Amino acid sequence: MDYVPVPKAGRLWYSKADFFRPFRTATGATAGENIIPLYDPTLHREAVDEPDLKDLNTALATLVDIFPDVEPETFREMLSNLSESSRVEIVTEQMLKSDAKRTRKTLRKLPSPETTAKRRPRPSAHTALPTADAFRGESYKKAVKQVLYQEFKTLSHSSIKAVMAEQNYSYTQSRPVLQQLAAKSWRFSLSNIWARRSPFVATGEHPNIMMGDTTTDQTTGVRRTGSAQLDQELHDLFVTPALQQRRQEQLATDFALASQLNDTEAKETETLFDCECCYGSVTFEQLAICDDNCHQLCFDCVRRSVNEALYGQGWSQSIDLQKTTLRCFAQADQTCHGRLPGNIIRRALAEPGADEDTWNELQKSMASEALVKSGLRLQRCGLCQYAEVDEVPSLKLRNARGILTHIVTRSSATLQIMLLFLTAATILITAPLIMIACLVWMIITLVPPVAAITDASWSRVYKQRRGLKFECRNPTCSKISCIRCTATWRDPHVCFESEKTSLRTAIESSATAAVKRTCPRCLLSFVKASGCNKLVCNCGYTMCYICRQEVTSKEGYGHFCQHFRPSGGRCGECERCDLYGAEDEEAAIRKATQTAEKMWREREGGRQGDTHTTQLMVEALISRTGHGRWYEGLLDAVVDAIAA
C-alpha cells in the first residue's frame, strides 16, 4: 500500500472527494490548489475590447487606410491626445496641412525586396488592422510586462518598459529586441564568469510554457497569464511550432516502423519486386509502373531521376513536356515510350525523409518550360514564376453618352475641339458623316492592314488603361510587381529608380565637365563667369579659356587675335583665339549630354542583355514614350473615346 503523509494537526479530509485523493496533501486542501490552469485556444476566446479602445482602433484603421504611407505610431500618438468626438476629421485635417512637412519618422519605411514577402498586408477596406499596430488594452500590457520580467531577469525593469513602449507593447516584437539587449548586458557578462548560461531562457524553460514529453503523459501548453490575447500569442509563438515538429517526428517514426514491418512481412512471404533500374528488391508499396510496358521502378530511383532532372543534366532526357511527367527509365528497355503517372511521382516525393519542395519545383519547371514552348504572349510576375496569358480583350464600344462624357472630361483639347467641329458639321451634313463612318468601319473590318493598325491602337489603349501594376495570383507569391521594370510595387512607384539615378549622375557629370576648366598645375577646377579669355590661376599658371593652351609671359596677349573687326564674327586673317569671345556653352552641354546618354545606353544594354527591356528602361527614364508615327496619337485618342 502506498504511503500517505499524515498532517501534524487538523482534519485529514475536508470532504468526501478528498478521501479519493490519497496522493494530495490533506492539510489546507481546497478545490483547485496547486493546479496550474493552461490556455486552450478552443475554449478561451479573446475578451471583447473596451468600448473606448474599440473606437480608437476603428479610427486608427480608417486613418491608416486613408494615409497608407504614414506610420501607425504617428496616428496612435495623435488619437490618444484627442477627445472622442471628431477624432478622424481632426487628424485628417492636421495630416493634410502638414503634408509637405512630414519627417522620416512620420513616413513608413520602405521594406527591402527580401522582406516584402514576409511583411504584413496593408490595411484596406477589406482587411482588418494588424494587431501589432492597434491600441493595446491594460490587461494585455500588464500581462506582457509580467511575462517579460520573469523571462529577462538580467535586464532592468526600466529597459523592458522602454522596449515595450517602442514596440507598442507587443510581446512578439519586444522579445527579439530584449534578447539582443540581454546578450550585451553587463549583468550577464559578470554572471558568465562563474557559470556559462544563456542570457535569455530557451523555449522549454520559458516561465509560461509547459513543454510536455511524448514518453510521459505531460501536456504541452501555455500557463494562463490573465490576458487571452497574450495567451494566444504565446501559443502561436512557442506551442504551435513545437506541436507541429512533434507531429512530424511522430509521423516519420510511425512511417519508418510501418515500412520496417512491411519489409519484414514481404520477405517472409516472398512478395518482393525487382526494380528494373537499380535491380533492388522493394515492396509493392514502393513501386512505380510505367503506362506502356509496365516496367517496375522503385521510389528511390524515381527520386534520383527527378533530382537529376532538376539539378543535373537529365532534364531533356527524363521529362516529357507534352504530358508533364517523368519518362520511363528502365535499363532493360531503352526504347520504352512509357510515362510514370503524376500521382505516383508525387507519392514518391512526398514520403517522409524526402524533400517536400521537390514536387513543387518539378511542377514549376515543367509548367514554365511548357509555357515557353507554347509560344503564347505571357505576362509574368516579376517576383516568382507565375504567368498569365497577356490577352487583349475584344474592342467594345461605349454608348453615345459615355463617349461624350469621356471626351468632355478626360480627352485632350485637340479631340474636344474636333468634337465641336464635328458637332457643327453633323448639324449641317448628317447623312454624309454617317456614310463616311460606315465607310471607315467597312475599311477597318475588311482591309487587313487597316485592321492591324486599329488592333495595335486598341492594344496600346488597353495597356494604358490597365496600368503597370501586376497582381500575382499565385497563392505562394501574392505579390504586386511592375510590368515594365518587374520590381516590387511600392506606392508611389518609380520605374528603374536606381537606373534613373545613374543616368542623371552621368548626364550631370558630363554637362559639368563640358563647361569647366582645370588647371594642369594645381588641378583646380573653375568656370568663367565674365571677363576676357586670358585666365590666371591662383598658383600663377596662365591659360586660354577657349583652347586651354598655356599662355606664357613672353607671349602674353599675342596669343589672341589683334585684328580689328568692325562687324564682329570670326577673324578672316588669322586662326588665333578671340580675347573676349565666348564659346557656345549650351551647345557644348547639349553635345556632352547626348554623348553621355549614348554611352549609358550602350552600357545598360550590354548589362541587361535584352534590347526590348533596355528600350523600355530608356523610355521610362528619359520620358521618350511618344508614338512612333504621326497619326498614332490621334488614333489612340479616338479609340480610347469610343472603346468601352
Side-chain angles (χ1 to χ4, degrees), residues 210-264:
M210 179 181 292
M211 301 300 294
D213 191 2
T214 55
T215 57
T216 61
D217 293 335
Q218 296 180 358
T219 305
T220 301
V222 178
R223 296 183 178 92
R224 300 188 64 183
T225 60
S227 173
Q229 186 178 359
L230 179 58
D231 294 341
Q232 181 65 38
E233 198 170 349
L234 292 173
H235 190 276
D236 296 338
L237 189 61
F238 296 106
V239 177
T240 302
L243 293 178
Q244 291 178 353
Q245 182 180 2
R246 185 178 299 175
R247 178 174 177 80
Q248 294 296 332
E249 294 175 354
Q250 185 65 37
L251 288 176
T253 304
D254 295 345
F255 181 81
L257 180 59
S259 299
Q260 182 179 1
L261 294 176
N262 189 28
D263 293 343
T264 304

Side-chain angles (χ1 to χ4, degrees), residues 562-579:
Q562 305 294 328
H563 299 95
F564 179 72
R565 287 168 284 173
S567 60
R570 185 71 179 173
C571 179
E573 299 181 12
C574 67
E575 297 294 335
R576 297 180 181 180
C577 301
D578 294 336
L579 181 60

Side-chain angles (χ1 to χ4, degrees), residues 108-123:
R108 280 183 183 264
K109 297 179 180 179
L110 292 177
S112 60
E114 290 77 7
T115 59
T116 306
K118 300 180 181 179
R119 66 179 180 177
R120 298 187 302 270
R122 192 190 75 179

